Structure formats: C-alpha cells, structure tokens
Amino acid sequence: MIRTVITGSTGRMGSTLLRLARDAKDLQVVGATVRPGSPVAGQDAGLAARLGAALDVLLMDDLDRALEFSKADVVVDFTGPQASLAHAKTCAERGVPLVVGSTGFTEDDSAALRVLARKVPIVAAPNMSVGVNLIIGVAAELARVLGPSFDVEVLEAHHRMKKDAPSGTALKLAEVLAEALGRTRDDLTFVRDGQTGARPPGEIGVQALRGGDVVGEHTVYFFGEGERIELTHRATNRDQFAQGALRAARWVARRAPGLYDMADVLGLQGKT
Ligand SMILES: NC(=O)C1=CN([C@@H]2O[C@H](COP(=O)(O)OP(=O)(O)OC[C@H]3O[C@@H](n4cnc5c(N)ncnc54)[C@H](OP(=O)(O)O)[C@@H]3O)[C@@H](O)[C@H]2O)C=CC1
Ligand SMILES: O=C(O)C1=N[C@H](C(=O)O)C[C@H](O)C1
C-alpha cells in the first residue's frame, strides 16, 4: 500500500486526486493539505473536498506537520508554482518522493526544482494525461518529417479560472517542436499585435484562449502550401490528469533521487 499525501486537496485537481486515490486499492490517502490559514483546516478531507463521504483524514495547512504524522511514501502536488516549490523543499528535507503537476514555473523555479531533486525523486510534468504525453512525441516526429517548409503554431484553450498563460502543456509542445526543428526558445512568439510584417521563417506561435469551463485543449498546426495538418488533444474532465499523477506517484515512490517527467513514468522515447 502506497501512503499518499495530497496537497491543494480542495482544489480542482486536488479534489479529483482525493476521489480517485480513495478508490484505488494500492493507495492509502494518509494526509491532505490546504492553503496555510485556510478556514477548512481541521475538517474531514472527504467532506471539505466535496466528495460527500468522510475520508477519515483531517485537512492540515502545513505539509511538514502532515508528513511528520503520516509517514507518507509520496506527495502529490497540484497547487501552484510557489507552493509547489515550498512543498518540494519540505519533501527534500524529509526525503519523501514528490509528484508535481503545477505549471507557471519560471526558469529559476525549474532550476531550484532540479537542485532539490538531487535529494529526492521528483516527477514534474505540465500535463500528466497519457494522451498528451503521446502527442508530444508525435508532434516532434511530425515536425522532423515535415521540416522547415511548414509553419508551426500551438493553440491552447482553458477555463476562465486558469492563472497562467500560455499553459505549461503548450510551452512543452512549443519547446519540443523548436528542438525538432533546430530552433530555440527565442523563435517562440506569444504576442502578435499591430503591423507585424510577414511571418518570419522559423517562428513558432503560441496562443492561449480562456473562457468557460474548458478543461484543457491543445492543438498543434502544421501550415503547409496546399495542405494543413492539425494534431489536437481535448480533455473533457480532469480524471486523466489525476490518473496519470497517481501512476507517477506509484512509479516515483521507489525511485532514486532525480528529476523525472511523464516520459520516464510511461517509458516513452526509449526511457525505461
Ligand atoms: N500536470 C497536469 O496534468 C495538470 C496541471 N495543472 C496545474 O495544477 C495547478 C492547480 O490547478 P487547479 O487544481 O485547477 O487549481 P486550483 O486553484 O483549483 O487548486 C489549487 C489548490 O491549491 C491550494 N493551495 C494554494 N497554495 C497552497 C499551499 N501553500 N498549500 C496547500 N494548498 C495550497 C489552493 O487553495 P485556495 O483554494 O485557498 O487558493 C487550491 O485549493 C495549476 O498550476 C495547473 O496549471 C492542472 C491540471 C492538470
Ligand atoms: O490549469 C489547468 O486546468 C491545466 N493546466 C495544465 C497546463 O497548464 O498545461 C494542464 C492541463 O491542460 C490543465
């Protein structure tokens, strides 16, 4: 049984994780945290996360204390970049493996996560659905085969409550496309406004739509002469993200320290 602590447990992802982990036969939820000072601290996690059933785990607003009492094997964190970094520091100090799904990290944040991963195994991925991680590889292969004569663009759409843009998934797609085409992050364009002039060759546009309750949609466009290829992933609920995260939790709980991604967890691209 893998003893699991879930942070951000009353959020959109946290409550999804609680529901799916509660029903998993090989996982035991031994802790659930909320934002420090949250008024729901002390309440039953199941009830507070709108699961409708008591989970016999009381919400805590301090991960270090939750780990002290829970003897967790793994922490699963979908909170936000700054909270995730703080949680990674706590997990590194306590030697507890971590799964990080948060997005919106700066380059410095990512560097700090790499340093912390020297002490503890961390799986970090902007999208934990199997489907998206498969199309990341397909998109790179399409770019390699189609070559520089195709103009490549990334479009994403998310719910109105999303705090960061573009999505971490769109950034990951753009980065692997740039690498496949021998380009750099400097070739990524996020804003087109005013007299932009003709599209520079080699540019990769990344655009974000926000509205309603869109769970997460990503399309890679390959615009050619006389033809256009579109590669799209649409999530219709958050279960696939959460199932991927729990799969990562099972995987990382027994790993050596290091920074891993979902390609490692899924054994993609020759990774075992
Ligand atoms: N990798 C993937 O597959 C996916 C990644 N994401 C990413 O996950 C993150 C969360 O998304 P989502 O669930 O929609 O966001 P929510 O805002 O719904 O959930 C975040 C939760 O974390 C809580 N929180 C904030 N700070 C802390 C803290 N220090 N300690 C404990 N809890 C804290 C928030 O509390 P409060 O409500 O008080 O603010 C909130 O309940 C985002 O970065 C998003 O991009 C989302 C889906 C899939
Ligand atoms: O905030 C969300 O909801 C999501 N964020 C992730 C991202 O930024 O890529 C993953 C997923 O698309 C949902």
Side-chain angles (χ1 to χ4, degrees):
M1 190 67 80
I2 298 174
R3 298 171 65 84
T4 306
V5 167
I6 292 168
T7 61
S9 54
T10 57
R12 287 176 288 269
M13 278 303 299
S15 52
T16 305
L17 285 158
L18 271 182
R19 171 169 54 83
L20 297 178
R22 178 192 60 184
D23 300 338
K25 296 193 181 343
D26 60 341
L27 298 172
Q28 181 184 0
V29 177
V30 294
T33 77
V34 291
R35 179 190 292 276
S38 169
V40 298
Q43 289 186 19
D44 179 278
L47 298 174
R50 303 182 295 278
L51 299 181
L55 202 61
D56 296 333
V57 168
L58 298 184
L59 292 174
M60 299 178 76
D61 66 354
D62 180 326
L63 178 60
D64 195 46
R65 286 188 65 242
L67 294 182
E68 184 177 345
F69 293 109
S70 65
K71 304 291 180 276
D73 297 313
V74 64
V75 171
V76 182
D77 176 280
F78 287 69
T79 49
Q82 293 316 306
S84 292
L85 263 183
H87 293 155
K89 289 186 181 105
T90 300
C91 288
E93 286 159 7
R94 288 195 171 267
V96 178
L98 173 65
V99 173
V100 177
S102 300
T103 60
F105 291 105
T106 64
E107 291 292 312
D108 287 348
D109 294 341
S110 300
L113 213 52
R114 280 194 292 275
V115 169
L116 292 167
R118 294 173 191 163
K119 293 184 179 176
V120 72
I122 298 175
V123 172
N127 200 305
M128 294 196 174
S129 80
V130 175
V132 162
N133 283 280
L134 288 173
I135 72 160
I136 288 171
V138 171
E141 185 62 14
L142 276 172
R144 272 191 285 275
V145 174
L146 294 172
S149 67
F150 279 74
D151 296 327
V152 182
E153 299 275 316
V154 179
L155 177 66
E156 57 99 335
H158 283 86
H159 52 91
R160 67 166 67 92
M161 300 306 287
K162 185 168 179 54
K163 297 187 179 77
D164 58 320
S167 69
T169 306
L171 281 174
K172 176 74 174 177
L173 282 164
E175 285 162 8
V176 301
L177 289 163
E179 185 182 357
L181 292 165
R183 298 169 194 162
T184 71
R185 194 178 168 84
D186 293 343
D187 292 307
L188 305 188
T189 300
F190 301 99
V191 177
R192 288 191 179 110
D193 182 32
Q195 288 295 316
T196 62
R199 187 188 194 279
E203 187 174 81
I204 297 174
V206 185
Q207 304 295 328
L209 305 177
R210 290 290 177 269
D213 62 354
V214 176
V215 172
E217 301 185 5
H218 295 86
T219 297
V220 179
Y221 293 91
F222 296 89
F223 294 99
E225 292 298 328
E227 67 179 337
R228 168 166 128 202
I229 297 164
E230 300 178 9
L231 188 59
T232 294
H233 180 274
R234 285 194 181 90
T236 51
N237 66 41
R238 292 178 172 83
D239 286 19
Q240 283 309 314
F241 303 140
Q243 291 291 17
L246 296 179
R247 182 168 174 174
R250 295 180 180 102
W251 186 90
V252 79
R254 308 277 183 264
R255 293 292 149 174
L259 185 59
Y260 305 96
D261 61 18
M262 280 305 283
D264 295 301
V265 174
L266 301 173
L268 302 179
Q269 300 149 358
K271 293 188 175 179
T272 53

